[in-house]
Amino acid sequence: MSIDPIGPIAGPLRINAPVAPTGVAAAGDAAEVFGGLLSQSVESLQATQTKADALAIKAATGDLQDAHDYMAASTEAGLATQLTVAIRDKAVAAFTEIMRMQA
């Protein structure tokens, strides 16, 4: 009897290795790579929230077949938003600390 290993978690909260955005060479500017990574993350968050909003509208109009679809999408969007806010707060704190070191 063999036991299958646990696979990675799918969804917008999945953390992937940073990749260069399209059009940027592998040895490109680090700021462009970081900016591309942030853009991809925000687009993923927006798509997750759009999906949750669409399911909320279906739930309100009575067109939603399974209520758990909306609950899962809503929770996923909430967690993705919390992660984004936490990353933003850490970035602001790091920027503030860097500016304090320069003074």
Side-chain angles (χ1 to χ4, degrees):
M1 179 175 156
S2 67
I3 299 175
D4 294 330
I6 297 174
I9 298 173
L13 299 179
R14 183 176 179 185
I15 299 173
N16 297 323
V19 294
T22 56
V24 177
D29 189 23
E32 290 180 24
V33 173
F34 182 70
L37 184 61
L38 284 179
S39 294
Q40 291 171 357
S41 298
V42 170
E43 288 171 5
S44 175
L45 174 63
Q46 180 64 35
T48 303
Q49 289 177 339
T50 301
K51 178 183 173 185
D53 290 344
L55 288 173
I57 291 171
K58 284 185 175 184
T61 59
D63 295 334
L64 187 64
Q65 299 297 325
D66 294 320
H68 70 275
D69 289 340
Y70 167 65
M71 290 303 298
S74 175
T75 302
E76 191 175 354
L79 288 173
T81 302
Q82 288 176 0
L83 177 64
T84 303
V85 169
I87 291 171
R88 183 213 52 202
D89 291 345
K90 288 291 185 179
V92 169
F95 176 77
T96 304
E97 184 65 27
I98 290 170
M99 296 314 282
R100 193 177 327 184
M101 285 192 290
Q102 290 180 355

